[in-house]
Amino acid sequence: MGKRRVIGAVGPLVGLEVGFRERLVGLGYRSGTVARHDRLLREVSRWLIDHDRDVAGFVPGEFIADRALLGFTPRLTEASLRPLVEFLVARGLLPRPADQTADESDAGAVLLEQFARFLRDERGLGDGTIAGYVGAVAPFVRSRRRGDGLDLGGIVAGDVFAFLTEVCPGRSRGGASLIASAMRSLLRWLFLTSVIGEPLAEVVPRVGSWKLAGLVEPVPNDDLARMIESCDGSTDAGRRDLAMLLVLSRLGLRSGEVAGLGLDDIDWRAGELIVRGKGPKDSRLPLPADVGEAIANYLRHGRPVSAQGRMVFVRVQAPHREMTNRGVTQAVFAAGQRAGCGTVRAHRLRHTAATRMLAAGGSLFEIGEVLRHQRPVTTAIYAKVDLVRLRMIVRPWPQPELAVTS
């Protein structure tokens, strides 16, 4: 066990303690947590002195490693340092992450950064999809390094096949499809920008798949009712989770759309929600009374006054930032566990909304409109669970003729 050193207020961060504490209090941190972060600021300041650096030379990873070598407990993570880093960024003492561009001497990193910009600006893809595409093609780009540069003009079909046969075996169908799609996008972009002279995107093979092969798994009505009842309406977390569960199960929003729902996206007078869907597309959906009531109750009695930004749903623990996709899914998972329903993910509630509309007499076209599907074939999966209509078209199984014997 390492002993905590008493660290005086010395070093490059002297004079910032009061401002840092005020920021933490404003973000909703409790006094004990504020005190721990204040001690951490002093440790960082001492570390900067020991390494003869100013604030701009602070590298969280190096600080954590040095602290661990000294035997300090508990050991820190970069998440532990995030409040201090964000404070220093806000003061202009550290560069913002968005300002940190790829090292121009790393040709591969520069190319991937340009590719990511193309996916965002020209194709309108979301940050998660862009990260997946860039990560999928990064090994291929690195394999084209030649000295300080990249040999991209010499790419041939055989190079593409060799890469795919190396990285795709052993992956799931979805993982292999992601790599293939990312490679097509990269090769198409390289051709459009005249980096390569042939349209090699067409040589990337399709990953074998069978559309509509599976069945959707909606949450049974009884299980959903127990999940909703498991949300403690006397707590901030319970009010928030109840509102999110109703939005997911009644309107069929994706977890990312729930996380991205803004205060300005609710038209209370018209009773509508503006949903920021995939890409640059926005849609308006009617706001059911029970959903609107749950959201209003959370906003009035559950959303912290120190909540940051204009997102509807925020974290319960400080700092009260907007929810992430993962946070929404975790809230649904926790409700399923409390209700004894096993593993329930957020997307199952989207299926639940669709099958409920189907059971109420809604058409596949109407369901596709509510779920904001871009293609009718995406909605067709729900035809397989429409047992009422399927019974109307089923044909009787032919019975074999019995041989007549004398």
Side-chain angles (χ1 to χ4, degrees), residues 10-22:
V10 295
L13 301 184
V14 168
L16 299 177
E17 301 98 315
V18 174
F20 186 44
R21 286 195 293 268
E22 290 176 348

Side-chain angles (χ1 to χ4, degrees), residues 13-341:
L13 301 184
V14 168
L16 299 177
E17 301 98 315
V18 174
F20 186 44
R21 286 195 293 268
E22 290 176 348
R23 177 183 175 89
L24 294 175
V25 171
L27 292 174
Y29 285 93
R30 296 182 179 180
S31 58
T33 306
V34 172
R36 287 196 299 272
H37 282 287
D38 185 51
R39 288 194 296 269
L40 190 57
L41 177 145
R42 295 169 185 271
E43 288 186 27
V44 170
S45 193
R46 171 69 69 177
W47 182 83
L48 292 171
I49 288 179
D50 294 342
H51 288 74
D52 193 23
R53 299 183 185 183
D54 57 14
V55 182
F58 176 48
V59 180
E62 292 184 20
F63 171 74
I64 292 170
D66 288 350
R67 195 175 185 274
L69 289 174
L70 292 173
F72 276 66
T73 57
R75 296 192 177 186
L76 293 178
T77 64
E78 295 209 14
S80 306
L81 288 167
R82 189 174 298 138
L84 176 58
V85 170
E86 292 178 348
F87 170 73
L88 296 176
V89 167
R91 288 295 184 98
L93 300 173
L94 283 178
R96 296 181 181 276
D99 297 336
Q100 296 172 352
T101 57
D103 183 355
E104 294 184 0
S105 64
D106 188 341
V110 171
L111 180 86
L112 292 172
E113 186 178 272
Q114 294 170 345
F115 177 52
R117 193 177 302 123
F118 162 77
L119 294 175
R120 180 179 299 106
D121 298 342
E122 300 299 329
R123 294 195 53 192
L125 300 185
D127 291 340
T129 304
I130 292 172
Y133 273 34
V134 171
V137 301
F140 178 76
V141 172
R142 287 196 294 267
S143 72
R144 305 302 301 179
R145 285 178 177 171
R146 303 292 185 270
D148 294 333
L150 295 173
D151 177 21
L152 299 175
I155 297 175
V156 296
D159 299 325
V160 178
F161 281 120
F163 172 72
L164 294 174
T165 55
E166 178 184 354
V167 299
C168 287
R171 294 180 181 269
S172 66
R173 187 172 63 214
S177 296
L178 171 64
I179 295 173
S181 297
M183 280 298 295
R184 288 190 202 97
S185 293
L186 175 68
L187 294 171
R188 195 172 291 121
W189 173 64
L190 292 176
F191 178 69
L192 290 174
T193 53
S194 300
V195 175
I196 59 177
E198 297 182 33
L200 294 177
E202 303 306 319
V203 308
V204 178
R206 300 282 174 182
V207 176
S209 62
W210 293 265
K211 292 185 180 297
L212 310 181
L215 282 173
V216 297
E217 295 185 38
V219 178
N221 290 339
D222 291 343
D223 286 358
L224 179 59
R226 290 200 301 271
M227 290 175 62
I228 290 174
E229 290 173 0
S230 75
C231 299
D232 186 354
S234 65
T235 65
D236 295 346
R239 298 185 189 100
R240 184 201 65 185
D241 291 353
L242 172 61
M244 292 197 302
L245 284 176
L246 289 177
V247 171
L248 288 163
S249 62
R250 299 277 276 116
L251 297 176
L253 268 64
R254 303 175 180 92
S255 59
E257 293 167 347
V258 174
L261 185 64
L263 295 173
D264 301 320
D265 295 333
I266 306 177
D267 188 336
W268 295 103
R269 290 186 178 276
E272 292 181 335
L273 282 182
I274 299 175
V275 181
R276 316 292 179 182
K278 289 185 176 181
K281 297 184 179 180
D282 299 337
S283 304
R284 283 184 174 270
L285 292 180
L287 180 62
D290 57 340
V291 180
E293 184 177 334
I295 294 176
N297 184 49
Y298 166 66
L299 293 178
R300 288 172 178 160
H301 308 296
R303 190 173 186 270
V305 295
S306 56
Q308 302 178 47
R310 299 284 295 171
M311 294 298 108
V312 172
F313 300 110
V314 299
R315 293 167 29 133
V316 175
Q317 294 183 342
H320 303 299
R321 298 190 181 93
E322 69 274 8
M323 297 284 289
T324 62
N325 300 21
R326 184 177 179 182
V328 174
T329 296
Q330 286 177 335
V332 175
F333 177 82
Q337 295 294 302
R338 290 194 305 268
C341 302

